[in-house]
Amino acid sequence: MVVLRTQLQTTPEQSLFFPILQLISSPDTALTTIHKNYGDLVSVRFFNKKLLFVCHPAQIGEVYMLEAKGLLGRDFLYESKKSLFGNGLVNSKPDLWVNQRRLIKPLFTREAMSEWEKVITDEAKVKMDSLMSMKKGSFNLLSALKDLVQQIFVKVLFGRSVDTLTNGVSLTKTIDIIGDGLLPTIVTEIISNGQLMWLMLSKKRKYQVAVKELTAFINEEISRKRELPGHDLISLMKQAQINKTGYSMTEALLKDE
C-alpha cells in the first residue's frame, strides 16, 4: 500500500493558521472544516511544524502499518498522553507495545466478541426504550448516543452497568471531562510543545483532576477483580499470559491499558 507516498508527492502544502488554532478549543469542528475544504489528505505548515491530516480509512491503515514496521512513530506525544494512558498500547514504546499486543490480542475471540455484542445490543435496547417512552418533543441525539457508548464501555470493561455503580453519574461526568480535555492537550503538544494549554488553565486543571478520579476508580476495580473475577475485560487482561515466555502484565500496566 503506497497511498500516502504517492499522494503526498502531489499534495500542496497549506497554511491554515486559524483552523489549527481552532483545534485547541473545538477540535471536532476544526477537523471537519479542514477535511471538508481541503480533502482527505492535508499537508500543513504551522510555523516550524509540518503537520499531516489524514482522514481516508486506507490512509489511516497505512499509518498504522508504518508504525507497526517501526517506520513511523509518535514518540513526541508520549508525555502529553502519559497522564491518561501511561504505557498502555496507545502510548507504549516498541518493545513493550509488542509484548502487550501479543498478550491482549488472543482475548478478542469470537466467543468473547459474541458476548460483548450482546452487551451492546442490550444496552442499545434499554436506551431506545428510554427514548421511546419520552413525551413528544425534541432531545439531543448526540448526547444520547454518547451516554450509550459510555454505558457499553463501562459494562464491557468492568462487567457492571453504570446504573449499578454508586458513583455512576460522577464517573460519566469524569469521562466527559477527559473527552473534552484530551484532544486539546494533544493538539497543543503538537503545535506548541504544550505551551498553549496554559491559555486554558481551567480546562487543564479540570482534565488533570478527572484523570486522577478515573485512575482511582480503575485501581479500585482492579482490586475488586482479585476477589470477584468475571468475563469483563479487566479480569481477562489480569489473567492473560503468553505461554511461551510466561509474560503477563503488572497491575500498573493493567491500569494503563
Side-chain angles (χ1 to χ4, degrees), residues 173-175 177-178 205-215:
K173 288 181 179 178
T174 295
I175 295 172
I177 293 170
I178 292 173
R205 286 174 176 165
K206 284 177 66 177
Y207 172 75
Q208 291 172 336
V209 169
V211 169
K212 288 181 180 178
E213 290 176 351
L214 181 61
T215 300

Side-chain angles (χ1 to χ4, degrees), residues 43-221:
S43 179
V44 176
R45 175 71 64 177
F46 187 79
F47 293 109
N48 64 334
K49 303 274 187 178
K50 187 171 183 179
L51 310 175
L52 182 65
F53 292 86
V54 181
C55 182
H56 194 280
Q59 297 163 350
I60 295 171
E62 186 171 355
V63 168
Y64 283 118
M65 286 176 61
L66 291 171
E67 284 189 322
K69 294 176 181 177
L71 300 175
L72 186 67
R74 287 175 281 182
D75 288 350
F76 67 98
L77 291 176
Y78 178 80
E79 290 301 326
S80 65
K81 294 189 291 182
K82 187 177 180 181
S83 64
L84 180 61
F85 298 117
N87 286 306
L89 277 173
V90 297
N91 200 39
S92 54
K93 302 296 177 67
D95 290 343
L96 179 59
W97 184 89
V98 169
N99 278 329
Q100 288 294 96
R101 189 176 185 279
R102 285 175 179 167
L103 185 69
I104 292 174
K105 185 179 178 181
L107 301 181
F108 293 86
T109 61
R110 180 174 295 179
E111 291 76 14
M113 297 304 293
S114 177
E115 187 161 334
W116 294 331
E117 179 186 11
K118 187 176 186 303
V119 170
I120 294 170
T121 54
D122 287 350
E123 291 290 337
K125 186 178 186 307
V126 169
K127 174 60 70 175
M128 184 182 70
D129 290 344
S130 173
L131 294 176
M132 294 293 287
S133 66
M134 292 173 58
K135 294 180 179 179
K136 288 185 178 181
S138 61
F139 63 89
N140 189 323
L141 181 59
L142 179 61
S143 178
L145 290 173
K146 184 170 66 173
D147 289 344
L148 173 60
V149 170
Q150 288 184 353
Q151 289 163 353
I152 292 168
F153 162 76
V154 170
K155 189 71 176 287
V156 170
L157 193 59
F158 306 122
R160 294 194 286 163
S161 172
V162 173
D163 298 334
T164 65
L165 301 175
T166 55
N167 59 343
V169 174
S170 62
L171 177 63
T172 54
K173 288 181 179 178
T174 295
I175 295 172
D176 277 343
I177 293 170
I178 292 173
D180 289 338
L182 177 60
L183 271 177
T185 300
I186 292 175
V187 169
T188 55
E189 184 67 29
I190 293 172
I191 66 179
S192 69
N193 298 323
Q195 296 305 309
L196 286 175
M197 199 63 193
W198 289 103
L199 298 177
M200 298 183 291
L201 195 56
S202 176
K203 177 172 276 194
K204 180 183 176 73
R205 286 174 176 165
K206 284 177 66 177
Y207 172 75
Q208 291 172 336
V209 169
V211 169
K212 288 181 180 178
E213 290 176 351
L214 181 61
T215 300
F217 175 78
I218 289 175
N219 283 333
E220 289 176 6
E221 286 297 306

Side-chain angles (χ1 to χ4, degrees), residues 10-25:
T10 58
T11 300
E13 195 170 87
Q14 307 290 341
S15 179
L16 307 178
F17 185 79
F18 290 109
I20 298 302
L21 289 182
Q22 189 185 24
L23 281 168
I24 301 172
S25 59

